[in-house]
Amino acid sequence: MNSEIILPLLIYLVLIAALSVFAVRKRREGSFLTEYFLGSRSMGGFVLAMTITTTYISASSFIGGPGAAYKYGLGWVLLAMVQVPAVWLSLGVLGKKFAILARQHNAVTLNDMLYARYRSPLLIWLASLSLLIAFIGAMTVQFIGGARLLETAAGIPYDTGLLIFGGTIALYTAFGGFRASVLNDAMQGVVMLIGTFLLLFAVIHQAGGLSTAVQKLHDIDPALLSPQGPGEVITPTFLSSFIVLVCFGVIGLPHTAVRCISYRDSKAVHRAIILGTIVVVVLMLGMHLAGALGRALLPNLTVPDSVIPTLMITVLPPLAAGLFLAAPMAAIMSTINAQLLQASATLIKDLYLRVAPHQMENEARLRLLSGTITFALGLLLLIAAWNPPDMIIWLNLLAFGGLEAVFLWPLVLGLYWERANAAGAITGMVVGGGCYAFLASLKLQILGFHPIVPSLLLSLLAFLVGNLFGRAPQPVDAPQH
């Protein structure tokens, strides 16, 4: 166990705890649910940019993505850059219309938005169940990534690292709520940027320069420099599937979408689109390029996901490695706290209060219940992450696809098509989610496409057909609570 690496990480965790305490002190008067799950809709441009970026960029981007770049070469670096428009798409497509509807109906969760639009309890139950199932996989990936970092970089056994990491996340998210989450996201975004610059510079320097590193990759396998990668994995169908899955499809990710209803004003959205896109470019290019070039220094790794933490302790002094360890930890933490809060909000606001609406005014009970459920979910995920796979990127993409197949069309068509109704939305959700689960579980790729492509196409068709048999949507008034 390396104390020089662990000390900066402990200092970082203390800063996170301090920010959580600060967030609690800054809580505003008013609805507890709106404050705990949305921070009273008070985010400015910088905080919005950082929280939506760091929520999207996760263990897959700092551990799984660079691991894939290590295995498949520079072609995967180019592939990763298709994610650049993700923030612009999320805020541009959902942004203002989403926030206006949320304020009209006092919506706190994504399912509040769906209910305000479609007025269907059945749709909410289906959406809640789908969200919770997919989030189990998505959050398990983040826990695995955090524990692997501590195992590889700090010499902490995987099980011990999992307990330390998972316990910290569960505590500060349960204690501080949404405001603590976004304040930590802002700090973590800065840490991620600094860490990315440091590591990429150190890798290139250690390899003897960029041209030398590229030549070493060529000597290992010339296919590492080709757009298709070794074994021609990155085919045109794979590329188009990836664009749908990690770029266009992110509009349908609930933990990203909910950020679009928590900002202060339209100026914040415009700033966030610009800042967020710049941050995504730097982080995606820097981390994936470090992973690809890292093979020139570490050609014989058996677990590709270990490339970033191994590079940290190889090319950086121990103290700097400890400081950089906070960068991927930041990415993972920011994603988990967003997903944990969304899962907790689903259980409390969308399910519990739907069957026990009289508890809405019992703030003390809601406060205790919110914190307890958030913490309990974190502990359950520790168990799920106990036996990890070798490459987490595939598990993360699997969970992403499930969420997109269920939520994308009900969100987008609900906002932009006035005639969209509950029958269409439910049909689209069932067909999209069912098709994706079937294809993904059997590992079927129709014409070489990832299951997300046929699932979204069939979901859209089912939505349009189902819409023919549903009642026209009725005008709804904002709730009075």
Side-chain angles (χ1 to χ4, degrees):
M1 189 178 296
N2 195 326
S3 59
E4 289 184 89
I5 292 178
I6 293 174
L7 182 60
L9 178 62
L10 290 176
I11 294 172
Y12 180 69
L13 293 177
V14 169
L15 282 174
I16 285 177
L19 267 180
S20 297
V21 173
F22 175 78
V24 171
R25 292 179 176 273
K26 283 288 185 179
R27 280 181 178 169
R28 298 185 178 184
E29 296 296 326
S31 168
F32 166 75
L33 292 174
T34 303
E35 171 59 33
Y36 187 82
F37 292 118
L38 287 182
S40 297
R41 312 184 204 272
S42 59
M43 281 194 294
F46 174 77
V47 174
L48 177 60
M50 286 303 185
T51 191
I52 201 167
T53 302
T54 55
T55 297
Y56 173 68
I57 293 177
S58 60
S60 182
S61 304
F62 265 74
I63 304 295
Y70 176 90
K71 185 174 182 178
Y72 300 116
L74 296 179
W76 196 276
V77 179
L78 293 175
L79 183 70
M81 298 310 291
V82 304
Q83 300 172 77
V84 167
V87 173
W88 175 79
L89 279 172
S90 295
L91 290 175
V93 174
L94 299 180
K96 291 183 180 179
K97 290 179 73 70
F98 213 48
I100 290 170
L101 186 63
R103 283 165 169 79
Q104 285 177 348
H105 298 279
N106 195 26
V108 173
T109 68
L110 181 67
N111 286 334
D112 280 347
M113 301 285 289
L114 292 174
Y115 187 74
R117 178 61 181 82
Y118 296 110
R119 309 301 284 181
S120 170
L122 175 59
L123 184 147
I124 301 308
W125 282 94
L126 287 172
S128 299
L129 182 62
S130 302
L131 186 147
L132 291 171
I133 291 173
F135 268 10
I136 289 173
M139 290 189 287
T140 300
V141 167
Q142 311 309 320
F143 274 68
I144 293 170
R148 270 216 181 117
L149 274 174
L150 294 176
E151 178 187 34
T152 307
I156 298 174
Y158 177 84
D159 295 349
T160 305
L162 185 61
L163 290 171
I164 294 172
F165 177 77
T168 302
I169 288 285
L171 276 172
Y172 95 75
T173 307
F175 179 65
F178 186 89
R179 191 176 293 276
S181 173
V182 297
L183 286 176
N184 277 300
D185 286 351
M187 180 183 74
Q188 289 161 352
V190 174
V191 170
M192 288 157 63
L193 286 170
I194 295 172
T196 299
F197 275 116
L198 278 177
L199 184 66
L200 181 59
F201 175 80
V203 168
I204 293 174
H205 176 75
Q206 189 83 5
L210 183 60
S211 59
T212 304
V214 172
Q215 182 59 48
K216 289 180 179 178
L217 291 181
H218 182 273
D219 295 340
I220 294 170
D221 185 351
L224 292 171
L225 305 185
S226 72
Q228 293 77 30
E232 297 191 352
V233 173
I234 308 172
T235 61
T237 53
F238 186 90
L239 173 62
S240 57
S241 297
F242 206 74
I243 291 173
V244 173
L245 186 61
V246 301
C247 184
F248 172 72
V250 301
I251 301 169
L253 293 178
H255 55 292
T256 301
V258 78
R259 259 56 183 166
C260 298
I261 65 175
S262 54
Y263 61 85
R264 185 171 56 231
D265 51 34
S266 59
K267 184 183 293 184
V269 177
H270 300 150
R271 288 179 178 174
I273 288 174
I274 297 171
L275 288 173
T277 301
I278 293 172
V279 172
V280 169
V281 169
V282 172
L283 294 180
M284 287 297 173
L285 179 61
M287 291 309 303
H288 286 80
L289 189 56
L293 298 179
R295 190 158 181 178
L297 300 176
L298 307 166
N300 300 312
L301 290 179
T302 56
V303 180
D305 279 357
S306 67
V307 61
I308 292 300
T310 305
L311 282 173
M312 286 164 45
I313 59 177
T314 302
V315 304
L316 296 173
L319 184 60
L323 290 171
F324 175 75
L325 181 59
M329 289 287 278
I332 296 166
M333 285 181 168
S334 59
T335 301
I336 290 181
N337 61 43
Q339 293 172 343
L340 264 180
L341 281 174
Q342 187 70 23
S344 178
T346 298
L347 286 169
I348 296 166
K349 182 69 169 62
D350 301 326
L351 299 181
Y352 172 68
L353 290 178
R354 193 163 293 280
V355 298
H358 59 280
Q359 294 290 343
M360 184 75 73
E361 304 303 324
N362 191 342
E363 183 173 313
R365 183 179 180 85
L366 289 178
R367 189 184 301 275
L368 176 62
L369 194 61
S370 298
T372 302
I373 286 180
T374 303
F375 183 69
L377 283 171
L379 295 182
L380 288 174
L381 291 167
L382 287 177
I383 300 172
W386 212 256
N387 295 304
D390 287 338
M391 290 186 71
I392 62 175
I393 187 170
W394 306 121
L395 180 58
N396 193 56
L397 292 177
L398 181 68
F400 263 39
L403 290 168
E404 293 168 5
V406 171
F407 288 99
L408 180 63
W409 297 125
L411 278 175
V412 174
L413 294 180
L415 283 177
Y416 290 94
W417 188 27
E418 291 184 1
R419 293 177 56 196
N421 59 42
I426 291 172
T427 307
M429 292 172 76
V430 171
V431 171
C435 177
Y436 186 81
F438 175 76
L439 294 176
S441 61
L442 296 180
K443 298 182 179 179
L444 297 177
Q445 295 192 346
I446 300 174
L447 301 177
F449 287 100
H450 186 278
I452 190 61
V453 175
S455 297
L456 284 180
L457 290 174
L458 288 175
S459 176
L460 176 60
L461 179 61
F463 194 120
L464 297 176
V465 173
N467 210 76
L468 298 175
F469 299 94
R471 292 181 299 176
Q474 300 296 317
V476 294
D477 299 321
Q480 298 303 310
H481 61 267

